Amino acid sequence: MQLLFIHSDYIEYEAKQKTRVAEPIDESKKHERIEEVLVVFVAVEREDETNARYAVEKALEETSSVFNKVGAERIVLYPYAHLSSTLASPEMSMEMLKAMERDLLSSGVDVKRAPFGWYKSFTLQCKGHPLSELSRKIEVHEGSGAGAEEKAAEKLSKALEAEEKAESQFFFMDDGTGGNLIRAADFEFESGIEERANLQKFFLYESEKRRAVDRIPPHVELMKRLEIADYEPSSDPGNLRFYPKGKLIKSLLENHVRNSVAEYGAVEVETPIMYSTEHPSLKDYLERFPARQYSMAGKKGKPDLFLRFSACFGQFLMSKDMSISYKNLPLKMFELASSFRREKRGELVGLRRLRKFTMPDMHTLCKDMGEALEEFKKQYELCIHVLDGIGFSMRDYEVAIRFTREFYDDTANKEFIEELVRIAGKPVLIERWDQRFFYFVLKFEFNFVDALGKASALSTVQIDVENAERYGIKYVDANGEEKSPIILHCSPSGAIERCMYALLERAYLEKERGVLPMLPLWLSPTQLRIIPVAERHLEYIEGILPVLNGIRADVDDREETVSKKIRDAGRDWIPYVAVVGDKEVEKNTLSVTIREESSKGKKKPEEMDVYALKNMIEQVIKSKPFRELALSYKLSERAKFVGG
RNA sequence: GCCGCUGUGGCUUAGAGGUAGAGCAGCUGAUUCGUAAUCAGCAGGUCGUGGGUUCAAGCCCCACCGGCGGCUCCA
């Protein structure tokens, strides 16, 4: 279908003479003059006939969009055959034009349709502003494409509609207020407690959805400058490249999460990253999960494939084929899942929102709601523990707990929520849905609020009451009967990339507060940098390096001045910087500057021997995952991954 | 996806219709240096891509592609 929009001061037309296909009209309709109007010239084309509903819908979308944008007062639909050389049949065209007219009328738009199939005279006066003349082509593809697109659109809309209709209220709950829901309007943000400012930012982000900031997110600049990650122009947006330092940090975080869930008792699995769209359970699930997929057309005769947007399918399909006794429950399965979501273009930012990301995803099969709640609480604590290990305390994130009204009406559940708030030890945001729109009845998230006041979820746990049945997951209870378990979805840290984003953003916030920014010691690509004053000190350094085994220590052996090397170490956020010159060699010591204890313009190098230094660093990182340096220990041998 | 802004060597950027200029990084040489940039020289640019206007386009117009912000959504 071809559309030509002209925003006009007026249009005046007169039906002069019938053609063979003319529609019958009243004498009064033959001549019209309409002011302040968006004239929509329409040519319905042959291909539109293969999927008329889709074409009409699209055309209406475009029309409303233009109509609202230019701020016209009314619309005239004007059949205009000359926009296309492959016209649809007159009957069909007229039908579709009428359908458009009906729809616009029913949505309250003042619309007129010029008579079809007449030779008409017309004059109009185009307003001439930048948007006053626009054209659009609605494309309907032949055969399966069109059908599939329509079906996909329908599917998507089912889930999205549910969300749009989802009505919810926000509250706050604090430890020590008797577990009462405090209406958002009554909550005191200005209590002199600094932490509440963040909660307020989070709440505003959630409820108002209006945030006008105009700045490049600090972490995007940092991820490049620190050679952590970067955009990859040759991939799809949101698929990043990770440089050695970034890959190191990522691996360490992954291992940390992996170790923590193993300790909690989960078993690690791996499942495929792509699935057939034809699988009945998946088909169904796709409708309940309003994310957009990467999909690939199957070779002829074969079903289409999509890339997973979470590890749910794989693990559910695995669970369905298992034989599970009540004695095996709660059963916890974990996967570090590369996941793909075709998020809207405008949504993607740096490491915060990606199309390809790494999501730790654990599913727990529980025999009933009682056990589910018990595990839910454990996982709530597990998440706190995992984030704490990364370096985020309760101060660094805001808690949101969300549930259905029905869930909360149960007194026992109410007490359960109060207990969660008590564990948080600070006010939390509560969202209550009037009905269950999703597959879960209760969830929480820990949300990080960044330098620009944007919130994003890290850890989350959800109680899923729907998918066991959908996938046919069963366990056998003590009476030998098959039952459907309740499933917990848990991402203990949230996406790994997002943790990196939060670490960088927090470092930036620290810097704003006058603190030297840095990463936690166990995640710093270089933990200790050794700087020789002159070349002759290198030998001494080589001698002490074996002692520093188990610590990521490198040596700035470049031909630069000491000042330059110190500065570069600072720019790289290196936690420990040791200078070695004649004095140190003679006394067999190091002159160490500790970043954490320094500030801008204030440094205090400390004399210590290499064993003391090693001990000091090991104290901090002892229980954390470790990997060797990602790059050569000699700086002179390293290539630059990013300029500047 | 839609709307707005934006895109000049690896990085940061000057250049408002008339031969693309600099700093950092890189390379070469000198300097072997004590806590936030040693000095000199050399090399490096299809000005995001493709069209168009013009005698002439990095600059004006159009489209597309990236990026940033907003809408919407989520780990």
Side-chain angles (χ1 to χ4, degrees), chain A residues 51 83 96 129 138 142 161 254 263 277 316 319 345 386 477 512 551 555 579 621:
Chain A
N51 199 338
L83 290 170
M96 289 171 69
H129 61 75
I138 310 295
E142 289 286 335
E161 255 173 42
E254 287 170 1
E263 216 171 285
T277 50
F316 291 167
S319 306
R345 186 62 198 77
V386 167
D477 74 4
E512 294 284 276
I551 288 170
V555 182
V579 175
I621 61 170

Side-chain angles (χ1 to χ4, degrees), chain A residues 316-412:
Chain A
F316 291 167
L317 293 169
M318 190 182 275
S319 306
K320 165 188 73 102
D321 292 337
M322 291 170 68
S323 96
I324 304 168
S325 150
Y326 71 98
K327 294 175 188 169
N328 308 136
L329 302 183
L331 178 72
K332 304 144 199 165
M333 249 186 251
F334 169 73
E335 180 166 4
L336 253 171
S338 284
S339 301
F340 301 81
R341 293 184 189 174
R342 276 205 30 176
E343 302 293 358
K344 289 184 227 159
R345 186 62 198 77
E347 274 305 311
L348 305 168
V349 229
L351 289 164
R352 174 171 178 249
R353 192 70 175 281
L354 300 165
R355 282 185 173 168
K356 190 266 171 178
F357 57 100
T358 312
M359 184 161 66
D361 207 346
M362 175 169 67
H363 293 93
T364 309
L365 307 186
C366 302
K367 64 171 180 281
D368 51 28
M369 188 50 89
E371 187 171 86
L373 289 172
E374 206 175 298
E375 288 306 309
F376 186 94
K377 193 181 134 194
K378 284 188 198 163
Q379 294 184 9
Y380 182 77
E381 287 170 326
L382 171 70
C383 291
I384 294 174
H385 171 73
V386 167
L387 290 188
D388 183 66
I390 292 172
F392 295 119
S393 72
M394 190 55 84
R395 279 214 321 269
D396 293 309
Y397 51 85
E398 297 305 326
V399 182
I401 302 175
R402 307 172 204 256
F403 43 74
T404 58
R405 187 185 277 271
E406 195 189 3
F407 177 87
Y408 194 68
D409 281 347
D410 187 311
T411 318

Side-chain angles (χ1 to χ4, degrees), chain A residues 476-491:
Chain A
V476 179
D477 74 4
N479 303 318
E481 277 172 41
E482 285 200 329
K483 292 253 175 83
S484 290
I486 298 212
I487 303 176
L488 261 49
H489 300 238
C490 168
S491 188

Side-chain angles (χ1 to χ4, degrees), chain A residues 529 555-560 564-565 568 635-636 640:
Chain A
R529 167 140 319 151
V555 182
D556 195 344
D557 61 336
R558 297 172 305 162
E559 291 187 32
E560 298 289 351
K564 178 73 178 295
K565 293 178 187 178
D568 287 348
L635 261 64
S636 67
K640 289 219 155 46

Side-chain angles (χ1 to χ4, degrees), chain A residues 76-135:
Chain A
V76 165
L77 292 172
Y78 198 109
Y80 202 66
H82 319 287
L83 290 170
S84 172
S85 54
T86 52
L87 289 169
S89 72
E91 295 76 21
M92 198 66 180
S93 301
M94 214 187 305
E95 270 318 300
M96 289 171 69
L97 279 160
K98 283 181 181 167
M100 287 174 70
E101 182 188 18
R102 269 197 307 274
D103 191 279
L104 287 166
L105 270 175
S106 70
S107 54
V109 178
D110 182 356
V111 58
K112 284 219 161 60
R113 186 170 55 82
F116 189 92
W118 291 74
Y119 293 110
K120 299 180 284 291
S121 67
F122 73 85
T123 53
L124 80 174
Q125 184 159 312
C126 175
K127 286 190 174 284
H129 61 75
L131 293 176
S132 61
E133 298 171 83
L134 295 168
S135 70

Side-chain angles (χ1 to χ4, degrees), chain A residues 212-425:
Chain A
V213 268
D214 194 15
R215 251 166 72 201
I216 301 162
H219 85 276
V220 173
E221 230 169 301
L222 289 171
M223 75 182 194
K224 296 181 186 196
R225 215 206 70 218
L226 296 172
E227 297 194 323
I228 288 172
D230 212 336
Y231 296 118
E232 172 51 72
S234 299
S235 182
D236 193 45
N239 288 256
L240 268 56
R241 55 161 81 135
F242 287 82
Y243 300 118
K245 292 177 193 170
K247 178 65 186 170
L248 172 83
I249 295 170
K250 193 159 174 270
S251 302
L252 287 167
L253 285 167
E254 287 170 1
N255 286 340
H256 167 67
V257 176
R258 186 176 267 135
N259 296 347
S260 304
V261 297
E263 216 171 285
Y264 166 68
V267 292
E268 187 170 358
V269 296
E270 182 177 322
T271 61
I273 64 167
M274 61 176 99
Y275 297 88
S276 159
T277 50
E278 294 301 306
H279 189 288
S281 314
L282 298 186
K283 226 171 173 171
D284 219 31
Y285 190 49
L286 288 174
E287 291 174 22
R288 286 297 252 164
F289 202 108
R292 299 174 180 203
Q293 291 81 47
Y294 275 112
S295 51
M296 284 164 285
K299 291 262 191 271
K300 52 178 181 279
K302 303 275 185 183
D304 293 346
L305 295 166
F306 69 94
L307 291 178
R308 67 172 176 201
F309 41 85
S310 74
C312 301
F313 328 105
Q315 293 184 24
F316 291 167
L317 293 169
M318 190 182 275
S319 306
K320 165 188 73 102
D321 292 337
M322 291 170 68
S323 96
I324 304 168
S325 150
Y326 71 98
K327 294 175 188 169
N328 308 136
L329 302 183
L331 178 72
K332 304 144 199 165
M333 249 186 251
F334 169 73
E335 180 166 4
L336 253 171
S338 284
S339 301
F340 301 81
R341 293 184 189 174
R342 276 205 30 176
E343 302 293 358
K344 289 184 227 159
R345 186 62 198 77
E347 274 305 311
L348 305 168
V349 229
L351 289 164
R352 174 171 178 249
R353 192 70 175 281
L354 300 165
R355 282 185 173 168
K356 190 266 171 178
F357 57 100
T358 312
M359 184 161 66
D361 207 346
M362 175 169 67
H363 293 93
T364 309
L365 307 186
C366 302
K367 64 171 180 281
D368 51 28
M369 188 50 89
E371 187 171 86
L373 289 172
E374 206 175 298
E375 288 306 309
F376 186 94
K377 193 181 134 194
K378 284 188 198 163
Q379 294 184 9
Y380 182 77
E381 287 170 326
L382 171 70
C383 291
I384 294 174
H385 171 73
V386 167
L387 290 188
D388 183 66
I390 292 172
F392 295 119
S393 72
M394 190 55 84
R395 279 214 321 269
D396 293 309
Y397 51 85
E398 297 305 326
V399 182
I401 302 175
R402 307 172 204 256
F403 43 74
T404 58
R405 187 185 277 271
E406 195 189 3
F407 177 87
Y408 194 68
D409 281 347
D410 187 311
T411 318
N413 290 342
K414 201 168 172 177
E415 280 165 20
F416 180 78
I417 302 294
E418 287 167 29
E419 171 65 8
L420 297 180
V421 175
R422 196 167 317 128
I423 293 168

